Amino acid sequence: MGLQKLYTAKQIEVMRAALNKDWRFIINHGAKRSGKTVIDNDIFLMELRRVHRMAEKEGVKTPMYILAGYSSKSIQNNVLQELTNKYDIDFKFDKHNSFTLFGVKVVQTFTGSIAGLGAIRGMTAYGAYINEASLANREVFEEIKDRCSAPGARIICDTNPDAPNHYLKTDYIDNHDPKARIISFHFRMDDNTFLSPKYIEAQKAGTPSGMFYDRSILGLWVTGEGVIYSDFDERSMVQPHISLPNGATVYCGVDWGYEHKGSIVVMADDQWGNTTLLEEHTAKYKEIDYWVQVAKDIQQRYGPTVPFYADSA
Ligand SMILES: Nc1ncnc2c1ncn2[C@@H]1O[C@H](COP(=O)(O)OP(=O)(O)O)[C@@H](O)[C@H]1O
Ligand SMILES: [Mg+2]
């Protein structure tokens, strides 16, 4: 059977990288139902076999591996039940919910709360699979990473997008230092060619534009307003009161819109090279008179010579 029958093009790309690249982290992030978990589940099985071979060479009898998810239920639904359905694997749990597969002891831990630390504290793991990683409590996430200290240990993550300043985005996905050996793949709903076009069409039409659409369909890390700048950090970049420094240059940007929103922004550049967004006026279905009034108000406040840079439309 051709690979295309088994996997989407995106999943094949991930599988090739998993097999051929030297990595410590593989992070698959993006849209809902885009095929992330299906490929991660298969890499997880491959990793268990690899761990078994590695440990055997080192004379380690029972290597340990961490299977992490938000809750017991989410691991069951997203990972274990899927593997049972696909490969008929019959998991036999011990009294701590651990199981042994391909000669590797798999310890489950729940990342939804700090209590998840207890399950893995002190352990040396040969790897981890973290499902829905953006939902993980950061301390638990860091502990899982630190526990993966056996030689050659690797970590698989899958996640839906969150805000662009989420630690998983800023500290892991955006970390391109080759020494960190993090590879990541971005999935869109359109990448999942196993979904029926009718389903995708209905999802697209039935999802409100802005954050919901950008995250669920396009798989982008955006904030509530649909902001895409990955460096944007609300905590350090938003101030409740701004006093305009002396000598700052004020100017406006105009993006005309009616059905889509229209917007006029007021910006200021100070002498130290900082740019501040002072005002934002955004509205739908407003006639030209409305926008002329907004512009005149701005002139009242910042002087008649403040320039407006307008989109040609
Ligand atoms: N390689 C595949 N072969 C068959 N069906 C697939 C494949 N990849 C994804 N699917 C289908 O798409 C659904 C969503 O995939 P999943 O990996 O669970 O998405 P995500 O984790 O991105 O939400 C699966 O439940 C399955 O029905
Ligand atoms: Mg998933």
Side-chain angles (χ1 to χ4, degrees):
M1 196 167 8
L3 261 188
Q4 282 77 7
K5 290 229 173 70
L6 291 176
Y7 294 122
T8 66
K10 190 74 181 197
Q11 289 170 334
I12 293 172
E13 191 189 338
V14 175
M15 184 56 93
R16 289 228 162 91
L19 289 169
N20 300 321
K21 289 201 171 158
D22 173 28
W23 53 278
R24 172 154 168 84
F25 271 96
I26 273 193
I27 306 176
N28 289 320
H29 60 105
K32 280 185 192 157
R33 301 195 65 73
S34 58
K36 306 181 299 293
T37 301
V38 164
I39 191 67
D40 283 344
N41 285 349
D42 283 0
I43 297 174
F44 166 57
L45 296 184
M46 273 170 31
E47 281 291 280
L48 291 183
R49 293 202 189 86
R50 187 185 70 95
V51 163
H52 175 69
R53 289 194 300 271
M54 255 177 6
E56 210 166 37
K57 266 193 217 141
E58 287 168 21
V60 174
K61 212 164 148 233
T62 315
M64 307 228 268
Y65 192 97
I66 298 169
L67 175 58
Y70 184 73
S71 66
S72 159
K73 199 167 160 211
S74 69
I75 294 185
Q76 180 63 33
N77 291 345
N78 295 336
V79 182
L80 301 177
Q81 190 61 51
E82 291 292 333
L83 289 175
T84 300
N85 294 348
K86 192 166 172 185
Y87 300 111
D88 241 350
I89 298 173
D90 182 17
F91 297 98
K92 296 221 160 48
F93 301 100
D94 69 14
K95 63 175 190 288
H96 303 292
N97 253 330
S98 303
F99 58 89
T100 300
L101 189 60
F102 308 138
V104 179
K105 182 171 174 186
V106 180
V107 175
Q108 295 192 59
T109 186
F110 311 128
T111 58
S113 82
I114 198 82
L117 283 181
I120 55 167
R121 194 167 271 146
M123 120 188 213
T124 299
Y126 277 78
Y129 173 15
I130 311 175
N131 182 243
E132 300 189 313
S134 69
L135 302 178
N137 175 290
R138 177 151 200 185
E139 263 179 81
V140 181
F141 184 89
E142 298 290 337
E143 183 70 16
I144 294 170
K145 184 190 71 179
D146 295 345
R147 292 292 117 221
C148 291
S149 59
R154 312 204 280 202
I155 299 158
I156 312 161
C157 294
D158 81 18
T159 182
N160 292 326
D162 202 284
N165 57 2
H166 190 285
Y167 71 86
L168 195 60
K169 177 76 166 72
T170 57
D171 298 356
Y172 291 90
I173 294 171
D174 292 343
N175 180 353
H176 302 298
D177 183 344
K179 291 198 208 81
R181 292 184 294 133
I182 298 171
I183 50 182
S184 65
F185 295 89
H186 169 232
F187 284 62
R188 295 163 308 142
M189 187 175 276
D190 282 329
D191 288 323
N192 188 351
T193 40
F194 289 95
L195 293 176
S196 83
K198 270 210 122 68
Y199 170 81
I200 295 188
E201 196 180 274
Q203 285 299 111
K204 285 182 177 173
T207 305
S209 67
M211 179 191 78
F212 292 108
Y213 193 94
D214 291 350
R215 284 192 187 170
S216 309
I217 311 286
L218 303 178
L220 297 172
W221 297 73
V222 292
T223 60
E225 262 72 44
V227 176
I228 299 183
Y229 298 107
S230 60
D231 294 343
F232 181 75
D233 183 350
E234 204 170 309
R235 290 160 300 191
S236 65
M237 294 180 181
V238 175
Q239 295 173 30
H241 302 287
I242 297 168
S243 41
L244 194 58
N246 274 342
T249 313
V250 177
Y251 53 99
C252 303
V254 184
D255 189 11
W256 167 251
Y258 186 81
E259 182 75 40
H260 296 283
K261 290 169 183 155
S263 189
I264 298 183
V265 292
V266 184
M267 320 279 293
D269 291 346
D270 69 16
Q271 57 182 333
W272 301 282
N274 302 307
T275 298
T276 304
L277 172 64
L278 296 171
E279 296 182 16
E280 187 206 324
H281 305 269
T282 300
K284 241 178 164 177
Y285 309 127
K286 295 292 186 192
E287 306 292 339
I288 195 71
D289 296 348
Y290 170 88
W291 293 108
V292 169
Q293 198 50 52
V294 170
K296 285 189 168 161
D297 279 350
I298 291 169
Q299 286 182 321
Q300 289 278 316
R301 265 169 284 133
Y302 299 98
T305 58
V306 51
F308 287 77
Y309 294 89
D311 185 277
S312 59

